[in-house]
Amino acid sequence: MSYQKQRNQLINLLIREGIINNQVLEAIKKIPRHHFVPKEYLKEAYENHPLPIGKGQTISQPYTVAFMLEALELKPGQKVLEIGTGSGYNAALIAELIKPGKLYTAEIYQTLIKKAKSILKKYSNIKVIKTDGSQGYQKEAPYDRIISTAAGPEIPKPWLAQLKEEGLIIAPIGTRFNQIVIKAKKIKNKLKKQELGYFQFVPLKGEYGY
Ligand code: SAH
């Protein structure tokens, strides 16, 4: 079956699972997820589960990716910070959803950065940065949106400081094995939090991680 056909099937599955945001679905239909998975997993590129990408990390399950992006309420022109570039797949989707806005995506593992950079070089509105994203990325702050694809014990203070008023953070928070995706809105310098659901993520490392 062609990759486009597999992507269309994945879209149907995501709709059945409750994803309704058309822009998110269109982006998933367009971005070739198989470019972001290791060769040995090509056959599973469009299946609804996470896949290993090296260094003990994973490319998240498509449903989880779609769920978080829907919650993030992305709009063209926004400035976004992603923590956890990993394969670069989520970054490519965000870049598509916010263009001509700009995405800054932080990763700690050099090998993952190298791979992601080579795939993402055709996206002119993505900058991959080697930095501890648990501390945010002060240089380009403030951001309209911050999304983390690694789970930490709490929302790091620098993320609040680097978020615009009325901005949103989507991040998995909890213990190493049990996490809830939180949606937090910055109102009068404080975060108003909402719990969205249980998922499993790799741990956030660094200063504010595990
Ligand atoms: N968004 C990715 C998912 C990657 S999994 C994708 O679409 O493939 C989470 C990633 O977060 C891992 O690659 C891990 O190395 C990275 N990570 C963990 N702690 C981090 C930190 N403090 N700063 C930046 N990246 C971090």
Side-chain angles (χ1 to χ4, degrees), residues 53 57-60 65 82-91 106-109 112 131-134 149-150 202-206:
I53 53 171
Q57 307 304 318
T58 56
I59 173 170
S60 306
V65 173
E82 179 192 32
I83 293 93
T85 312
S87 67
Y89 176 62
N90 194 48
E107 175 58 58
I108 42 174
Y109 288 115
L112 297 179
T131 190
D132 169 16
S134 81
T149 60
V202 298
L204 179 71
K205 301 189 173 135

